[in-house]
Amino acid sequence: MSARHEVVLVVGGGIGPEIVPPVLDVVAAAGVHVAWERHDVPEKGGEAFPEELLDPAVAAVRRVGLALKTRLVAPVKGRFRSPNVLLRRKLGLYATVRPVHTLPGLPTRYPGLDLVIVRENTEDLYAGIEHEIVPGVVQSLKVVTERACERIARFAFASARKHGRRQVTFVHKANIMKMADGLFLRVVRRVAAENADVAYGDMIVDNACMQLVMDPLRFDVMLMGNLYGDILSDLVAGLAGGIAASAGVNIGDDCRVYEAIHGDAPGLVGTGRADPLPLLLPAVHLLRHIGEAAAADRILTAVGVVLSDPRAARTPDLGGDATAAAMAGAIIAALSRA
């Protein structure tokens, strides 16, 4: 049994409560001893998400510095701020990192895909600064500051160097948004010049989308603003085989939150058949961060065994008809044979 680790567990609505137990079972079966401090954030109806529901979880993550989180489900109607975005802002999580890599047995046109998207988390149109000027006319503001641009650029290059990545590509639309994206581009180029040991290039966002679909293997680390990051993260996940091949890591100066990128699946709630991999993959990345790389590797190997075996228990989205618990059981059985 490994050393004991303290991790906050933030559980939202939707399918979150159903995929948490199977994922924790897999982590335990890999021999990792985690003291989970659980905080549930209930799903609320109506037109607004009460921010105070996040306070206990936010306080716990600030104290512990590390969390695993399901997706928080918000009302679909009315004017509201996403509880996922609120949590990031309250914790000062300025960088979202989306590692995307293909898994053995998961169908994809791009085997061997392994890239990372680094997304600035605090500004841009995604910040949702909007107002109605007059009835029928709405204005959205794209706010970009030199400080935030430089912070995320330095983070991207430092992360690339730490993990042995060969290149950083900055994605922008500075040909049209000459002031906002232009500022971001100038700052990134300046930081790139100070990090000449890491190769650098930049690309307009629409071209980047086309190049990703044509040949995603040409990319390594992709750096971008908030809105482009949200869109391209899902595009790349799709290229790698879907939500099961991606994880979200939100990073600030003092804490990290590893999160599932999927959780709004009302048709699956109560069935027990939601795919556990969107939460298991971030848990694997969390294990690497806390020094449990051997256990993380064993889990990924076991996942590959299950995905590659047509007779193994898999949830419906992966071509089977099993429950999340049964699929976790198959992964645990593969772990025991490793």
Side-chain angles (χ1 to χ4, degrees):
M1 182 68 72
S2 67
R4 180 179 180 274
H5 306 280
E6 184 178 4
V7 181
V8 176
L9 179 65
V10 182
V11 183
I15 60 173
E18 299 178 39
I19 61 174
V20 163
V23 167
L24 300 193
D25 287 345
V26 171
V27 171
V32 182
H33 183 197
V34 180
W36 299 101
E37 180 180 335
R38 178 164 174 163
H39 290 270
D40 287 85
V41 180
E43 183 176 351
K44 289 292 183 180
E47 295 189 350
F49 182 86
E51 291 189 28
E52 60 272 14
L53 291 178
L54 296 174
D55 290 345
V58 167
V61 178
R62 282 178 178 157
R63 173 172 45 80
V64 175
L66 190 63
L68 178 66
K69 169 183 154 315
T70 73
R71 185 170 175 81
L72 306 181
V73 181
V76 296
K77 296 182 179 180
R79 296 181 179 179
F80 65 91
R81 299 172 70 188
S82 164
N84 301 287
V85 174
L86 282 171
L87 184 75
R88 295 169 196 158
R89 291 185 182 171
K90 286 176 177 287
L91 291 169
L93 305 175
Y94 65 86
T96 287
V97 177
R98 285 277 188 92
V100 179
H101 52 86
T102 52
L103 297 172
L106 192 64
T108 173
R109 294 182 180 180
Y110 304 104
L113 179 60
D114 178 15
L115 63 82
V116 176
I117 288 182
V118 176
R119 166 186 172 191
E120 203 288 321
N121 230 0
T122 66
E123 299 184 333
D124 204 305
L125 277 170
Y126 203 87
I129 306 172
E130 300 180 306
H131 64 277
E132 188 174 56
I133 301 174
V134 296
V137 180
V138 173
Q139 184 179 56
S140 294
L141 302 179
K142 178 168 182 166
V143 177
V144 176
T145 66
E146 183 173 3
R147 175 181 175 275
C149 294
E150 181 170 350
R151 179 174 61 180
I152 196 66
R154 294 195 181 282
F155 174 90
F157 279 93
S159 179
R161 183 179 297 107
K162 177 181 179 181
H163 297 288
R165 296 280 176 170
R166 66 186 187 277
Q167 181 183 33
V168 173
T169 302
F170 177 60
V171 177
H172 64 90
K173 193 67 176 175
N175 59 321
I176 300 298
M177 284 168 278
K178 299 182 184 296
M179 296 186 69
D181 282 24
L183 170 62
F184 208 157
L185 178 59
R186 290 193 302 275
V187 170
V188 173
R189 285 177 173 173
R190 185 180 74 228
V191 173
E194 300 171 6
N195 293 269
D197 58 313
V198 178
Y200 169 74
D202 43 63
M203 190 174 292
I204 296 172
V205 62
D206 41 329
N207 183 33
C209 290
M210 180 179 69
Q211 298 299 331
L212 274 168
V213 173
M214 293 175 64
D215 182 18
L217 300 178
R218 65 176 290 181
F219 296 101
D220 195 3
V221 176
M222 303 184 74
L223 166 65
M224 61 202 74
N226 213 341
L227 181 60
Y228 307 149
D230 184 49
I231 296 169
L232 267 66
S233 291
D234 284 1
L235 170 61
V236 174
L239 297 177
I243 57 171
S246 184
V249 188
N250 294 283
I251 300 171
D253 290 331
D254 303 311
C255 54
R256 289 174 171 242
V257 175
Y258 293 75
E259 68 176 4
I261 66 169
H262 173 59
D264 302 345
L268 292 175
V269 174
T271 68
R273 296 180 183 274
D275 187 347
L277 293 185
L279 185 62
L280 183 58
L281 263 290
V284 166
H285 287 284
L286 186 152
L287 293 182
R288 293 193 189 283
H289 176 69
I290 61 177
E292 298 285 357
D297 289 341
R298 290 179 60 232
I299 291 173
L300 281 182
T301 298
V303 168
V305 168
V306 171
L307 291 178
S308 300
D309 183 356
R311 300 164 300 175
R314 299 194 300 266
T315 51
D317 65 305
L318 297 172
D321 61 0
T323 63
M327 182 173 172
I331 296 171
I332 292 169
L335 269 173
S336 67
R337 298 192 297 269

